[in-house]
Amino acid sequence: MLSVQNMTVSFGGESLFSDISFRLAAGDRVGLVGKNGAGKSTLLHLIAKDQEPTSGSISKEKDIRLGFLRQDIDFEKGRTVLEEAYQAFEEIKQLEAQMEQINEALVTRTDYETASYNDLIIALNDATERYELIGGYNYQGTTERILQGLGFQATDFDKKTDTFSGGWRMRIELAKLLLQDNDILLLDEPTNHLDIESIIWLEEFLTKYRGAVVLVSHDKMFLDNTSNRTIEIVAGRIYDYKKPYSAYLLLREEIMTQQRAAQKNQAKEIEQTEKLIERFRAKASKAAMAQSLIKKLDKIERIEVDAEDNAAMKLKFPVAQQPGKVVLLAENISKNYGPKKVLQQVDVEIERGTKTAFVGQNGQGKSTLAKIIVDEIDFEGSCELGHNVILGYFAQNQAEYLDGSLSLLQTMEDAATDENRSRVRDMLGAFMFRGDEVEKKVKVLSGGERNRLALCKLLLSPFNVLVMDEPTNHLDIRSKNVLKEALKKFQGTLILISHDRDFLQGLSDRVLEFKDHKLTEYLGDIQFYLEQKKLDSLVDLERVVKVKKEKEETKINDYQLQKKIKSLQNKQSKVERTIADLEKEIKAIDFELEVNYEATITLPNFFEGYNQKKKDLAKAMEQWEKIIEELIQFED
């Protein structure tokens, strides 16, 4: 379908790619990976013919249709969501206009026997046949299905596109791309503006897509679920294997281990050969042999180990003083944006040391509640921070708050205190901004570099409660892994908003789902939440869209259930200790009765005490049986 041959791309005398080649065939779903700045987006633009390589060529078969989801979009103002999505069907819309024009002409004509009237009938039949052939009678239903899969409600369809945020407009652009009959799809970070449900839907769509897909993504789970081939860009070269991302990493490490072993063995052979050459040179009788060995050595093709780029930021979150047990208590929180209701009388309690994930569809109030917690917006209800709470906040658009006219060093120095101003260069170095790079203007940074700078700036002040809203946007996979490990080790309290399932795994001990203006609590990590919601496939997603109200009112939620079981287990342990103590005491008395009956029964109040212990034991046994019966009911 498409072939890249010996392509080199240079900017300002420096090569971004050097003599790379690969082919795309139908059914290839390529995960294009590499660190920020490696050239992933540039490669997509080259394939799309937005720019030309310095040397080499990119060729595709005749009539191959290519669609590209770019990061910059431009809609015509005044169109509704449906009208904009329908732009994907250019030929269908042209045929609709043509058929309407012919029908209008036929209404006004009465010369039914003329050749021109007959020509109109033939043109209408041809247009109608073509219209039916390319799906003209189905495209509206297909469009609505794709939009709903990407998170739009039916009530959104007739709203103007300019009333939606950039993230939602990007979804419309993605819908248009998926609706087109393209042979090759180029997707540049398609999950950046999608929630978990929409990401799962897109995974299902792409796995069934018959054409070729090249996607840039830093979402490891999304790559594993959608790709069957990985191309990694490292230091201007590409490494191409027909494996999903995680399997590729294992295979590449295995290959590099073999390369290192082979290189080591070859180095030993070369060293031994060089020693022989030096020894034979000293003897005239061996000179010919020395020359033969030299020629042999020159012909040896040196084994090279694939290039690696292990540069990664160093991240450790500072913790301020210890706060109280309850760090946040929010009650009856409500928030509207004009007529749009987002949150309605929600209650949230966050305890010290917990890690809570906010999940749910976009627009359900996750970022809104985060802004309420950090006192950034007005709201109804009360939101109280606990004793000694010091907040750290990373907003979804944190990188946009950076002043593009400042250098990286100026940005850090302006935010620093007298105590840490002398360390800002070291901090920038830890975030992979070294040497003269610190003098670069913020405006020339990539999205991932801006996020790294924003994270670095966040560390200038200590905190004990950290609120992070989509911190992984534009970060490459290695940087995300570093951030995840730092958050795992963070000793404070974490509130995390993210749609990245792999990033969330193992990071939270509690999930709050935002839906229909309310919150639902799940005690566990994101995997437990997904299992409970049965969102592992599109079929499961559709199955749980509506849950009967009666079940919701009668069902004990997981949190209450676990609390009840834990309470019963504690009671069980306590009663079992009491039973063991009483049995031990009664056994000791029985022994005394056997050994010295007469002396034992003459003790003051002996029989009253002995009988009371037996009664206490019988009562404890009865209590233990009731607890066991209750626990068995919960297991059933």
Side-chain angles (χ1 to χ4, degrees), residues 205-323:
F205 182 94
L206 291 178
T207 53
K208 295 177 180 177
Y209 185 71
R210 291 177 297 176
V213 182
V214 181
L215 59 96
V216 173
S217 178
H218 301 307
D219 185 329
K220 179 173 169 288
M221 190 175 290
F222 180 71
L223 285 170
D224 283 342
N225 290 343
T226 56
S227 66
N228 55 19
R229 177 180 173 189
T230 300
I231 295 179
E232 183 177 17
I233 304 173
V234 181
R237 295 178 61 188
I238 65 168
Y239 298 92
D240 185 359
Y241 293 92
K242 290 190 178 298
K243 297 281 185 182
Y245 181 68
S246 292
Y248 155 74
L249 288 179
L250 294 173
L251 178 62
R252 180 145 186 252
E253 181 56 36
E254 183 181 328
I255 290 171
M256 291 179 70
T257 300
Q258 293 172 354
Q259 287 175 340
R260 282 189 284 264
Q263 187 185 56
K264 188 176 179 180
N265 290 333
Q266 187 186 61
K268 286 182 180 179
E269 291 179 13
I270 290 172
E271 184 182 5
Q272 290 171 353
T273 304
E274 287 174 341
K275 286 179 180 178
L276 285 172
I277 291 170
E278 290 300 316
R279 190 185 307 163
F280 291 160
R281 272 177 175 166
K283 298 178 181 180
S285 61
K286 301 287 186 180
M289 189 176 292
Q291 289 299 317
S292 175
L293 288 173
I294 291 171
K295 290 179 181 179
K296 178 184 175 183
L297 200 62
D298 289 339
K299 291 178 181 178
I300 292 177
E301 187 175 338
R302 298 306 199 260
I303 296 171
E304 292 185 3
V305 178
D306 291 345
E308 274 190 294
D309 188 347
N310 291 318
M313 62 182 183
K314 296 179 177 64
L315 181 55
K316 183 179 180 180
F317 290 105
V319 180
Q321 64 200 69
Q322 181 88 321

Side-chain angles (χ1 to χ4, degrees), residues 298-564:
D298 289 339
K299 291 178 181 178
I300 292 177
E301 187 175 338
R302 298 306 199 260
I303 296 171
E304 292 185 3
V305 178
D306 291 345
E308 274 190 294
D309 188 347
N310 291 318
M313 62 182 183
K314 296 179 177 64
L315 181 55
K316 183 179 180 180
F317 290 105
V319 180
Q321 64 200 69
Q322 181 88 321
K325 183 180 179 182
V326 176
V327 299
L328 170 72
L329 183 60
E331 296 180 310
N332 296 318
I333 297 289
S334 295
K335 177 64 181 178
N336 297 347
Y337 292 103
K340 184 179 180 181
K341 186 186 299 180
V342 179
L343 297 172
Q344 184 177 12
Q345 295 183 324
V346 302
D347 299 328
V348 181
E349 182 177 314
I350 305 289
E351 292 189 356
R352 179 184 63 223
T354 56
K355 289 181 167 64
T356 304
F358 287 1
V359 302
Q361 288 186 331
N362 291 342
Q364 293 292 326
K366 303 183 300 295
S367 296
T368 295
L369 184 55
K371 291 174 182 177
I372 288 172
I373 291 170
V374 300
D375 198 24
E376 194 173 281
I377 57 174
D378 296 328
F379 62 96
E380 295 178 13
S382 67
C383 184
E384 299 292 334
L385 297 180
H387 179 63
N388 283 341
V389 168
I390 301 175
L391 283 172
Y393 178 45
F394 189 93
Q396 186 173 357
N397 57 343
Q398 190 74 37
E400 295 176 13
Y401 293 134
L402 300 172
D403 187 340
S405 65
L406 298 179
S407 69
L408 279 69
L409 186 59
Q410 288 172 321
T411 299
M412 290 291 288
E413 287 179 339
D414 287 354
T417 63
D418 292 338
E419 288 77 19
N420 57 27
R421 187 167 285 109
S422 61
R423 296 194 299 111
V424 295
R425 281 185 178 271
D426 291 337
M427 292 177 69
L428 285 167
F431 278 76
M432 298 162 55
F433 299 116
R434 302 183 178 96
D436 294 339
E437 285 185 325
V438 301
E439 302 297 341
K440 288 198 300 189
K441 297 293 184 186
V442 172
K443 62 186 176 185
V444 304
L445 299 180
S446 68
E449 289 171 328
R450 282 174 178 256
N451 253 27
R452 276 195 277 127
L453 178 59
L455 280 169
C456 187
K457 186 179 175 184
L458 177 67
L459 301 190
L460 288 168
S461 302
F463 41 78
N464 49 35
V465 177
L466 179 56
V467 182
M468 304 196 87
D469 190 354
E470 297 290 354
T472 62
N473 276 354
H474 303 295
L475 286 182
D476 58 45
I477 292 174
R478 183 173 287 120
S479 297
K480 285 202 310 188
N481 289 339
V482 172
L483 174 58
K484 181 173 180 176
E485 287 305 310
L487 290 175
K488 279 184 178 179
K489 295 174 183 176
F490 177 52
Q491 296 299 309
T493 305
L494 176 65
I495 298 172
L496 180 61
I497 302 171
S498 178
H499 300 309
D500 189 323
R501 292 158 295 166
D502 181 70
F503 181 71
L504 284 173
Q505 274 191 339
L507 257 188
S508 67
D509 45 40
R510 178 190 186 205
V511 174
L512 289 181
E513 182 194 34
F514 288 63
K515 189 172 184 180
D516 298 331
H517 326 305
K518 299 291 184 183
L519 305 185
T520 303
E521 182 182 46
Y522 296 83
L523 288 179
D525 68 359
I526 189 65
Q527 196 60 39
F528 174 76
Y529 163 75
L530 289 174
E531 288 169 0
Q532 292 296 304
K533 295 296 292 179
K534 299 180 182 177
L535 294 180
D536 291 327
S537 69
L538 180 62
V539 174
D540 294 328
L541 173 60
E542 291 171 344
R543 188 180 298 140
V544 298
V545 169
K546 291 185 178 180
V547 181
K548 292 182 180 179
K549 191 175 181 181
E550 309 87 75
K551 283 189 177 181
E552 289 183 337
E553 292 172 346
T554 57
K555 183 180 176 183
I556 300 173
N557 65 40
D558 295 313
Y559 177 64
Q560 292 172 324
L561 181 62
Q562 289 188 32
K563 279 182 69 176
K564 181 67 175 175

